[in-house]
Amino acid sequence: MRFADALAQPGLGAIAEFKRRSPSMGDIRPDARVEDLLPLYAANGASAISVLVDERFAGSIDDLVAARAATTVPLLAKGFFSEEAHLDELRRAGADAVLLILRDLDDATTARLLAYAHELGLDALVEAHTEEELDRATALQAPIVGVNARDLNTFKLDRHTQLDLVARAPRDRLVIAESAVHTRAQAAAAELAGADAVLVGTALMQAPDPGAKLRDLLSRPLVKVCGLTRQDDVDAAVEAGADMLGFILVEKSPRRATAVLDVPDTALSVAVYVGHAEESGADLVQLYRDDGGTVRGRDAVILRDGEKVAALLDQPWDGTDAAHWENAAKAEGRVVLAGGLGPENVRAAIDAVHPWAVDAASSLETEPGVKDHARVRAYIEEARR
């Protein structure tokens, strides 16, 4: 399968990266061997594999040759390439795709290398770091656009700008979010912004078991704990492994929060409204219909910057529907399953519905808005096992 075709498969893909060091961090895994790690990547969901061939990353062309011998997964050669001869060498060594960094290349050179890569049967990942570079990649008709969160001059990460650029990228291109992914929630944030895949390197190379780390980053469903009103409960849920933290900003709700509390950037905050949403600073908005009577209507939409990115399927307020799971299993797109979930039944719900995320609130409480930390941990453990 070609590199581009592998990234175009349904769901969020991952380009798993092999690198021994980085200029920003120094040594990461200096003794790492391609032959040991690449089979782990391939067995745990990598759509493609990136191999650093630059000496600044303790890499070489020999690593690419060894990678080609170790796996049939499409290979991206990463380095600083500016000449046709570089592409010839990479193709001979087994690359399926090459990186072209717009910071280092003018438009004429990039266009020439894109055309030559096509002649060789190579795909090209054209990397942008700024709005101006994203516009250049778009104008150059680059089929695969990478948006890197790391400034290569300062080595600083800016995930917010990265996600904004991912959201701005043309939807008729393959879009890759590069760098700054260490958790499932961060990968999901890129997915919801419009990324087809994430490129993950440091998080994998630092992990005791890189294959298990990759599998975890891609695993679904995400786990949401909702109805949070106290920072202590937020912190306990994050420590237990929650991916999404929900805050109900609805006057009539018995779990009304006064504001969106502090959520680390390893997780996603969700502001819950009924009828209409307001500015809250949350990563996402969960918006229910106002049925004019009870606290909320039944189902909700999940919004990112006002755009629907998922559907939340819930039970009726203070009611139940025996066919809820059955109907949810038939829904298309990203489904967040809510309504009566807890440690006792969340695994059965996941097996029946296969949702993108699960959501629990009242079953995890000692009283409305006050969480039982033991039940929160048990719910998250069951959902993630």
CSV table of all heavy atoms in Angstrom, one decimal, residues 75-131:
chain,number,residue,atom,x,y,z
A,75,LEU,N,7.1,3.6,4.5
A,75,LEU,CA,8.1,4.4,5.2
A,75,LEU,C,8.3,5.8,4.7
A,75,LEU,O,8.3,6.1,3.5
A,75,LEU,CB,9.5,3.7,5.0
A,75,LEU,CG,9.6,2.2,5.6
A,75,LEU,CD1,11.0,1.7,5.2
A,75,LEU,CD2,9.3,2.2,7.1
A,76,LEU,N,8.3,6.7,5.7
A,76,LEU,CA,8.6,8.1,5.4
A,76,LEU,C,10.0,8.4,5.8
A,76,LEU,O,10.4,8.2,7.0
A,76,LEU,CB,7.6,9.0,6.2
A,76,LEU,CG,7.9,10.5,6.2
A,76,LEU,CD1,7.7,11.2,4.9
A,76,LEU,CD2,7.1,11.2,7.3
A,77,ALA,N,10.8,8.9,4.9
A,77,ALA,CA,12.2,9.3,5.2
A,77,ALA,C,12.1,10.8,5.6
A,77,ALA,O,11.6,11.7,4.9
A,77,ALA,CB,13.1,9.2,4.0
A,78,LYS,N,12.7,11.0,6.8
A,78,LYS,CA,12.7,12.4,7.4
A,78,LYS,C,14.1,12.9,7.5
A,78,LYS,O,15.0,12.2,7.9
A,78,LYS,CB,12.0,12.4,8.8
A,78,LYS,CG,10.5,12.5,8.7
A,78,LYS,CD,9.9,12.8,10.1
A,78,LYS,CE,10.2,14.2,10.5
A,78,LYS,NZ,9.5,14.6,11.8
A,79,GLY,N,14.2,14.1,7.1
A,79,GLY,CA,15.5,14.8,7.1
A,79,GLY,C,15.4,16.1,6.4
A,79,GLY,O,14.2,16.6,6.3
A,80,PHE,N,16.4,16.7,5.9
A,80,PHE,CA,16.4,18.0,5.3
A,80,PHE,C,16.9,17.8,3.9
A,80,PHE,O,18.1,17.8,3.6
A,80,PHE,CB,17.3,19.0,6.1
A,80,PHE,CG,16.9,19.1,7.5
A,80,PHE,CD1,17.4,18.3,8.5
A,80,PHE,CD2,15.9,20.1,7.9
A,80,PHE,CE1,17.0,18.4,9.8
A,80,PHE,CE2,15.5,20.2,9.2
A,80,PHE,CZ,16.1,19.3,10.2
A,81,PHE,N,15.9,17.7,2.9
A,81,PHE,CA,16.2,17.3,1.6
A,81,PHE,C,15.9,18.5,0.6
A,81,PHE,O,14.9,19.1,0.7
A,81,PHE,CB,15.3,16.1,1.2
A,81,PHE,CG,15.3,15.0,2.2
A,81,PHE,CD1,14.2,14.5,2.7
A,81,PHE,CD2,16.5,14.4,2.6
A,81,PHE,CE1,14.1,13.5,3.6
A,81,PHE,CE2,16.5,13.4,3.6
A,81,PHE,CZ,15.3,12.9,4.1
A,82,SER,N,16.8,18.7,-0.3
A,82,SER,CA,16.7,19.9,-1.2
A,82,SER,C,17.1,19.6,-2.6
A,82,SER,O,17.0,20.5,-3.4
A,82,SER,CB,17.5,21.0,-0.6
A,82,SER,OG,18.9,20.7,-0.5
A,83,GLU,N,17.5,18.4,-2.9
A,83,GLU,CA,18.0,18.1,-4.3
A,83,GLU,C,17.4,16.8,-4.7
A,83,GLU,O,17.1,15.9,-3.9
A,83,GLU,CB,19.5,18.0,-4.3
A,83,GLU,CG,20.2,19.2,-3.8
A,83,GLU,CD,21.8,19.0,-3.7
A,83,GLU,OE1,22.2,17.9,-4.1
A,83,GLU,OE2,22.4,19.9,-3.2
A,84,GLU,N,17.3,16.6,-6.1
A,84,GLU,CA,16.8,15.4,-6.7
A,84,GLU,C,17.7,14.2,-6.3
A,84,GLU,O,17.1,13.1,-6.1
A,84,GLU,CB,16.7,15.5,-8.2
A,84,GLU,CG,15.6,16.4,-8.7
A,84,GLU,CD,15.9,17.9,-8.7
A,84,GLU,OE1,16.9,18.3,-8.1
A,84,GLU,OE2,15.1,18.6,-9.4
A,85,ALA,N,19.0,14.4,-6.1
A,85,ALA,CA,19.8,13.3,-5.8
A,85,ALA,C,19.5,12.7,-4.4
A,85,ALA,O,19.6,11.5,-4.2
A,85,ALA,CB,21.3,13.8,-5.8
A,86,HIS,N,19.0,13.6,-3.5
A,86,HIS,CA,18.6,13.1,-2.2
A,86,HIS,C,17.4,12.1,-2.3
A,86,HIS,O,17.4,11.1,-1.7
A,86,HIS,CB,18.1,14.3,-1.3
A,86,HIS,CG,19.2,15.2,-0.9
A,86,HIS,ND1,19.0,16.6,-0.6
A,86,HIS,CD2,20.6,15.0,-0.8
A,86,HIS,CE1,20.2,17.1,-0.3
A,86,HIS,NE2,21.1,16.2,-0.4
A,87,LEU,N,16.5,12.5,-3.2
A,87,LEU,CA,15.3,11.7,-3.4
A,87,LEU,C,15.7,10.3,-4.1
A,87,LEU,O,15.1,9.3,-3.7
A,87,LEU,CB,14.2,12.4,-4.2
A,87,LEU,CG,13.3,13.3,-3.5
A,87,LEU,CD1,14.0,14.3,-2.6
A,87,LEU,CD2,12.3,14.0,-4.4
A,88,ASP,N,16.6,10.4,-5.0
A,88,ASP,CA,17.1,9.2,-5.6
A,88,ASP,C,17.7,8.2,-4.6
A,88,ASP,O,17.4,7.0,-4.5
A,88,ASP,CB,18.2,9.5,-6.6
A,88,ASP,CG,17.7,10.1,-7.9
A,88,ASP,OD1,16.5,9.7,-8.3
A,88,ASP,OD2,18.4,10.9,-8.5
A,89,GLU,N,18.5,8.7,-3.7
A,89,GLU,CA,19.1,7.9,-2.7
A,89,GLU,C,18.1,7.3,-1.7
A,89,GLU,O,18.1,6.1,-1.4
A,89,GLU,CB,20.1,8.7,-1.8
A,89,GLU,CG,20.8,8.0,-0.7
A,89,GLU,CD,21.8,8.8,0.1
A,89,GLU,OE1,21.5,10.0,0.2
A,89,GLU,OE2,22.8,8.3,0.6
A,90,LEU,N,17.1,8.1,-1.3
A,90,LEU,CA,16.1,7.7,-0.4
A,90,LEU,C,15.2,6.6,-1.1
A,90,LEU,O,14.8,5.6,-0.4
A,90,LEU,CB,15.2,8.8,0.0
A,90,LEU,CG,15.9,9.9,0.8
A,90,LEU,CD1,15.1,11.1,1.0
A,90,LEU,CD2,16.4,9.4,2.2
A,91,ARG,N,14.9,6.8,-2.3
A,91,ARG,CA,14.1,5.7,-3.0
A,91,ARG,C,14.8,4.4,-3.1
A,91,ARG,O,14.3,3.4,-2.9
A,91,ARG,CB,13.7,6.2,-4.4
A,91,ARG,CG,12.7,5.3,-5.2
A,91,ARG,CD,11.5,5.2,-4.4
A,91,ARG,NE,10.4,4.6,-5.1
A,91,ARG,CZ,9.4,3.9,-4.6
A,91,ARG,NH1,9.4,3.6,-3.3
A,91,ARG,NH2,8.4,3.4,-5.3
A,92,ARG,N,16.1,4.5,-3.4
A,92,ARG,CA,16.9,3.3,-3.5
A,92,ARG,C,17.0,2.6,-2.1
A,92,ARG,O,17.1,1.3,-2.0
A,92,ARG,CB,18.3,3.6,-4.0
A,92,ARG,CG,18.4,3.9,-5.5
A,92,ARG,CD,19.9,3.9,-5.9
A,92,ARG,NE,20.7,4.8,-5.2
A,92,ARG,CZ,20.9,6.1,-5.6
A,92,ARG,NH1,20.3,6.5,-6.7
A,92,ARG,NH2,21.7,6.9,-4.9
A,93,ALA,N,17.0,3.4,-1.1
A,93,ALA,CA,17.1,2.8,0.3
A,93,ALA,C,15.8,2.2,0.8
A,93,ALA,O,15.8,1.6,1.9
A,93,ALA,CB,17.6,3.9,1.3
A,94,GLY,N,14.7,2.5,0.1
A,94,GLY,CA,13.4,1.8,0.5
A,94,GLY,C,12.3,2.8,0.9
A,94,GLY,O,11.3,2.3,1.4
A,95,ALA,N,12.5,4.1,0.8
A,95,ALA,CA,11.5,5.0,1.2
A,95,ALA,C,10.2,4.9,0.3
A,95,ALA,O,10.4,4.7,-0.9
A,95,ALA,CB,12.0,6.5,1.2
A,96,ASP,N,9.1,5.1,0.9
A,96,ASP,CA,7.8,5.3,0.1
A,96,ASP,C,7.4,6.7,0.0
A,96,ASP,O,6.6,7.1,-0.8
A,96,ASP,CB,6.7,4.5,0.8
A,96,ASP,CG,7.0,3.0,0.9
A,96,ASP,OD1,7.0,2.3,-0.1
A,96,ASP,OD2,7.4,2.5,2.0
A,97,ALA,N,7.9,7.6,0.9
A,97,ALA,CA,7.6,9.0,1.0
A,97,ALA,C,8.8,9.8,1.5
A,97,ALA,O,9.6,9.2,2.3
A,97,ALA,CB,6.3,9.2,1.8
A,98,VAL,N,8.8,11.1,1.3
A,98,VAL,CA,9.9,11.9,1.8
A,98,VAL,C,9.3,13.2,2.4
A,98,VAL,O,8.1,13.6,2.0
A,98,VAL,CB,10.8,12.3,0.6
A,98,VAL,CG1,11.6,11.1,0.1
A,98,VAL,CG2,10.1,13.1,-0.5
A,99,LEU,N,10.0,13.8,3.3
A,99,LEU,CA,9.6,15.0,3.9
A,99,LEU,C,10.2,16.2,3.1
A,99,LEU,O,11.4,16.2,2.9
A,99,LEU,CB,10.1,15.1,5.3
A,99,LEU,CG,9.7,16.3,6.2
A,99,LEU,CD1,8.2,16.4,6.4
A,99,LEU,CD2,10.5,16.3,7.5
A,100,LEU,N,9.4,17.2,2.9
A,100,LEU,CA,9.8,18.5,2.3
A,100,LEU,C,9.4,19.6,3.2
A,100,LEU,O,8.2,19.8,3.4
A,100,LEU,CB,9.2,18.7,0.9
A,100,LEU,CG,9.5,17.6,-0.2
A,100,LEU,CD1,8.8,17.9,-1.5
A,100,LEU,CD2,11.0,17.5,-0.4
A,101,ILE,N,10.4,20.3,3.8
A,101,ILE,CA,10.1,21.3,4.8
A,101,ILE,C,10.1,22.7,4.2
A,101,ILE,O,11.1,23.2,3.7
A,101,ILE,CB,11.2,21.2,5.9
A,101,ILE,CG1,11.3,19.8,6.5
A,101,ILE,CG2,10.9,22.3,7.0
A,101,ILE,CD1,12.4,19.6,7.5
A,102,LEU,N,9.0,23.3,4.2
A,102,LEU,CA,8.8,24.6,3.5
A,102,LEU,C,9.7,25.7,4.1
A,102,LEU,O,10.1,26.7,3.4
A,102,LEU,CB,7.4,25.1,3.5
A,102,LEU,CG,6.5,24.3,2.5
A,102,LEU,CD1,5.0,24.7,2.7
A,102,LEU,CD2,6.9,24.4,1.1
A,103,ARG,N,10.0,25.6,5.4
A,103,ARG,CA,10.9,26.6,6.0
A,103,ARG,C,12.2,26.7,5.3
A,103,ARG,O,12.8,27.8,5.2
A,103,ARG,CB,11.1,26.2,7.5
A,103,ARG,CG,11.9,27.3,8.2
A,103,ARG,CD,12.5,26.7,9.5
A,103,ARG,NE,13.6,25.7,9.2
A,103,ARG,CZ,14.5,25.3,10.0
A,103,ARG,NH1,14.5,25.7,11.2
A,103,ARG,NH2,15.4,24.4,9.7
A,104,ASP,N,12.7,25.6,4.7
A,104,ASP,CA,14.0,25.5,4.1
A,104,ASP,C,14.0,25.5,2.6
A,104,ASP,O,15.1,25.5,2.0
A,104,ASP,CB,14.7,24.2,4.5
A,104,ASP,CG,14.9,24.1,6.0
A,104,ASP,OD1,15.0,25.2,6.7
A,104,ASP,OD2,14.9,23.0,6.6
A,105,LEU,N,12.8,25.5,2.0
A,105,LEU,CA,12.7,25.4,0.5
A,105,LEU,C,11.9,26.5,0.0
A,105,LEU,O,10.8,26.9,0.5
A,105,LEU,CB,12.1,24.1,0.1
A,105,LEU,CG,12.7,22.8,0.6
A,105,LEU,CD1,11.9,21.6,0.3
A,105,LEU,CD2,14.1,22.6,0.0
A,106,ASP,N,12.3,27.1,-1.2
A,106,ASP,CA,11.4,28.1,-1.8
A,106,ASP,C,10.4,27.4,-2.7
A,106,ASP,O,10.4,26.1,-2.8
A,106,ASP,CB,12.2,29.1,-2.7
A,106,ASP,CG,13.1,28.4,-3.8
A,106,ASP,OD1,12.7,27.4,-4.3
A,106,ASP,OD2,14.2,28.9,-4.1
A,107,ASP,N,9.4,28.1,-3.2
A,107,ASP,CA,8.3,27.4,-3.9
A,107,ASP,C,8.8,26.7,-5.2
A,107,ASP,O,8.3,25.6,-5.5
A,107,ASP,CB,7.3,28.5,-4.3
A,107,ASP,CG,6.5,29.0,-3.1
A,107,ASP,OD1,6.6,28.4,-2.0
A,107,ASP,OD2,5.7,29.9,-3.3
A,108,ALA,N,9.7,27.3,-5.9
A,108,ALA,CA,10.2,26.7,-7.1
A,108,ALA,C,10.9,25.4,-6.8
A,108,ALA,O,10.7,24.3,-7.5
A,108,ALA,CB,11.2,27.6,-7.9
A,109,THR,N,11.7,25.3,-5.8
A,109,THR,CA,12.4,24.1,-5.4
A,109,THR,C,11.4,23.0,-5.0
A,109,THR,O,11.5,21.9,-5.3
A,109,THR,CB,13.5,24.3,-4.3
A,109,THR,OG1,14.4,25.3,-4.8
A,109,THR,CG2,14.2,23.1,-4.0
A,110,THR,N,10.4,23.5,-4.2
A,110,THR,CA,9.4,22.5,-3.7
A,110,THR,C,8.6,21.9,-4.8
A,110,THR,O,8.4,20.7,-4.9
A,110,THR,CB,8.5,23.2,-2.7
A,110,THR,OG1,9.2,23.8,-1.6
A,110,THR,CG2,7.5,22.2,-2.1
A,111,ALA,N,8.2,22.8,-5.7
A,111,ALA,CA,7.5,22.3,-6.9
A,111,ALA,C,8.3,21.3,-7.7
A,111,ALA,O,7.8,20.3,-8.2
A,111,ALA,CB,7.0,23.4,-7.8
A,112,ARG,N,9.6,21.6,-7.9
A,112,ARG,CA,10.4,20.7,-8.7
A,112,ARG,C,10.6,19.3,-8.0
A,112,ARG,O,10.5,18.3,-8.6
A,112,ARG,CB,11.8,21.4,-8.9
A,112,ARG,CG,12.7,20.6,-9.9
A,112,ARG,CD,14.0,21.4,-10.1
A,112,ARG,NE,14.9,21.2,-8.9
A,112,ARG,CZ,15.3,22.1,-8.1
A,112,ARG,NH1,14.8,23.4,-8.3
A,112,ARG,NH2,16.1,21.9,-7.1
A,113,LEU,N,10.8,19.4,-6.6
A,113,LEU,CA,10.9,18.1,-5.9
A,113,LEU,C,9.6,17.3,-5.8
A,113,LEU,O,9.7,16.1,-5.8
A,113,LEU,CB,11.5,18.4,-4.5
A,113,LEU,CG,12.9,19.0,-4.4
A,113,LEU,CD1,13.2,19.3,-3.0
A,113,LEU,CD2,13.9,18.0,-5.0
A,114,LEU,N,8.5,18.0,-5.7
A,114,LEU,CA,7.2,17.3,-5.8
A,114,LEU,C,7.1,16.6,-7.1
A,114,LEU,O,6.6,15.4,-7.1
A,114,LEU,CB,6.1,18.3,-5.6
A,114,LEU,CG,5.7,18.7,-4.1
A,114,LEU,CD1,4.8,19.9,-4.1
A,114,LEU,CD2,5.1,17.6,-3.4
A,115,ALA,N,7.4,17.2,-8.2
A,115,ALA,CA,7.3,16.6,-9.5
A,115,ALA,C,8.2,15.4,-9.6
A,115,ALA,O,7.9,14.4,-10.1
A,115,ALA,CB,7.5,17.6,-10.6
A,116,TYR,N,9.4,15.6,-9.1
A,116,TYR,CA,10.4,14.5,-9.2
A,116,TYR,C,10.0,13.3,-8.3
A,116,TYR,O,10.2,12.2,-8.7
A,116,TYR,CB,11.8,15.0,-8.9
A,116,TYR,CG,12.9,14.0,-9.3
A,116,TYR,CD1,13.1,13.7,-10.6
A,116,TYR,CD2,13.7,13.5,-8.3
A,116,TYR,CE1,14.1,12.8,-11.0
A,116,TYR,CE2,14.7,12.6,-8.6
A,116,TYR,CZ,14.9,12.2,-10.0
A,116,TYR,OH,15.9,11.3,-10.3
A,117,ALA,N,9.5,13.6,-7.2
A,117,ALA,CA,9.1,12.5,-6.3
A,117,ALA,C,8.0,11.7,-7.0
A,117,ALA,O,8.0,10.5,-6.9
A,117,ALA,CB,8.6,13.1,-5.0
A,118,HIS,N,7.1,12.4,-7.6
A,118,HIS,CA,6.0,11.7,-8.4
A,118,HIS,C,6.6,10.8,-9.4
A,118,HIS,O,6.1,9.7,-9.6
A,118,HIS,CB,5.1,12.8,-9.0
A,118,HIS,CG,3.9,12.1,-9.7
A,118,HIS,ND1,2.8,11.5,-9.1
A,118,HIS,CD2,3.7,12.0,-11.0
A,118,HIS,CE1,2.0,11.1,-10.0
A,118,HIS,NE2,2.5,11.4,-11.2
A,119,GLU,N,7.6,11.3,-10.1
A,119,GLU,CA,8.3,10.5,-11.2
A,119,GLU,C,8.8,9.2,-10.6
A,119,GLU,O,8.8,8.1,-11.2
A,119,GLU,CB,9.4,11.3,-11.9
A,119,GLU,CG,8.9,12.3,-12.8
A,119,GLU,CD,10.1,13.0,-13.5
A,119,GLU,OE1,11.2,12.4,-13.6
A,119,GLU,OE2,10.0,14.2,-13.8
A,120,LEU,N,9.4,9.3,-9.4
A,120,LEU,CA,10.0,8.2,-8.7
A,120,LEU,C,9.0,7.2,-8.0
A,120,LEU,O,9.4,6.2,-7.5
A,120,LEU,CB,11.0,8.7,-7.7
A,120,LEU,CG,12.2,9.5,-8.2
A,120,LEU,CD1,13.1,9.9,-7.0
A,120,LEU,CD2,13.1,8.6,-9.1
A,121,GLY,N,7.8,7.6,-8.0
A,121,GLY,CA,6.8,6.8,-7.3
A,121,GLY,C,6.8,7.1,-5.8
A,121,GLY,O,6.3,6.3,-5.0
A,122,LEU,N,7.4,8.2,-5.3
A,122,LEU,CA,7.4,8.6,-3.9
A,122,LEU,C,6.2,9.6,-3.6
A,122,LEU,O,6.0,10.5,-4.4
A,122,LEU,CB,8.7,9.3,-3.6
A,122,LEU,CG,10.0,8.5,-3.5
A,122,LEU,CD1,11.2,9.4,-3.5
A,122,LEU,CD2,10.0,7.6,-2.3
A,123,ASP,N,5.6,9.4,-2.5
A,123,ASP,CA,4.7,10.5,-2.0
A,123,ASP,C,5.6,11.5,-1.2
A,123,ASP,O,6.7,11.2,-0.9
A,123,ASP,CB,3.7,9.9,-1.0
A,123,ASP,CG,2.6,9.1,-1.8
A,123,ASP,OD1,2.2,9.5,-2.8
A,123,ASP,OD2,2.3,8.0,-1.3
A,124,ALA,N,5.1,12.7,-1.1
A,124,ALA,CA,5.8,13.7,-0.4
A,124,ALA,C,4.9,14.4,0.7
A,124,ALA,O,3.8,14.8,0.4
A,124,ALA,CB,6.3,14.8,-1.3
A,125,LEU,N,5.4,14.5,1.9
A,125,LEU,CA,4.8,15.2,3.0
A,125,LEU,C,5.4,16.6,3.1
A,125,LEU,O,6.5,16.7,3.4
A,125,LEU,CB,5.0,14.4,4.3
A,125,LEU,CG,4.6,15.1,5.6
A,125,LEU,CD1,3.1,15.4,5.6
A,125,LEU,CD2,4.9,14.2,6.8
A,126,VAL,N,4.6,17.6,2.7
A,126,VAL,CA,5.0,19.0,2.7
A,126,VAL,C,4.7,19.6,4.0
A,126,VAL,O,3.5,19.7,4.4
A,126,VAL,CB,4.4,19.7,1.5
A,126,VAL,CG1,4.8,21.2,1.6
A,126,VAL,CG2,4.8,19.1,0.2
A,127,GLU,N,5.7,20.0,4.8
A,127,GLU,CA,5.6,20.4,6.1
A,127,GLU,C,5.5,22.0,6.3
A,127,GLU,O,6.3,22.7,5.8
A,127,GLU,CB,6.7,19.9,7.0
A,127,GLU,CG,6.6,20.3,8.5
A,127,GLU,CD,7.8,19.6,9.2
A,127,GLU,OE1,7.7,18.4,9.5
A,127,GLU,OE2,8.7,20.3,9.6
A,128,ALA,N,4.5,22.4,7.0
A,128,ALA,CA,4.2,23.8,7.3
A,128,ALA,C,4.3,24.0,8.8
A,128,ALA,O,3.9,23.2,9.6
A,128,ALA,CB,2.9,24.3,6.7
A,129,HIS,N,4.7,25.2,9.2
A,129,HIS,CA,4.8,25.6,10.6
A,129,HIS,C,3.9,26.9,10.9
A,129,HIS,O,3.6,27.1,12.0
A,129,HIS,CB,6.2,25.9,11.1
A,129,HIS,CG,7.1,24.7,11.0
A,129,HIS,ND1,7.7,24.3,9.8
A,129,HIS,CD2,7.5,23.8,11.9
A,129,HIS,CE1,8.4,23.2,10.0
A,129,HIS,NE2,8.3,22.9,11.3
A,130,THR,N,3.6,27.6,9.8
A,130,THR,CA,3.0,28.9,10.0
A,130,THR,C,1.8,29.0,9.0
A,130,THR,O,1.7,28.2,8.0
A,130,THR,CB,3.9,30.1,9.7
A,130,THR,OG1,4.3,30.0,8.3
A,130,THR,CG2,5.2,30.0,10.6
A,131,GLU,N,1.0,30.0,9.2
A,131,GLU,CA,-0.1,30.3,8.3
A,131,GLU,C,0.4,30.5,6.8
A,131,GLU,O,-0.2,30.1,5.9
A,131,GLU,CB,-1.0,31.4,8.8
A,131,GLU,CG,-2.2,31.7,7.9
A,131,GLU,CD,-3.0,32.8,8.5
A,131,GLU,OE1,-2.7,33.3,9.6
A,131,GLU,OE2,-4.0,33.2,7.8
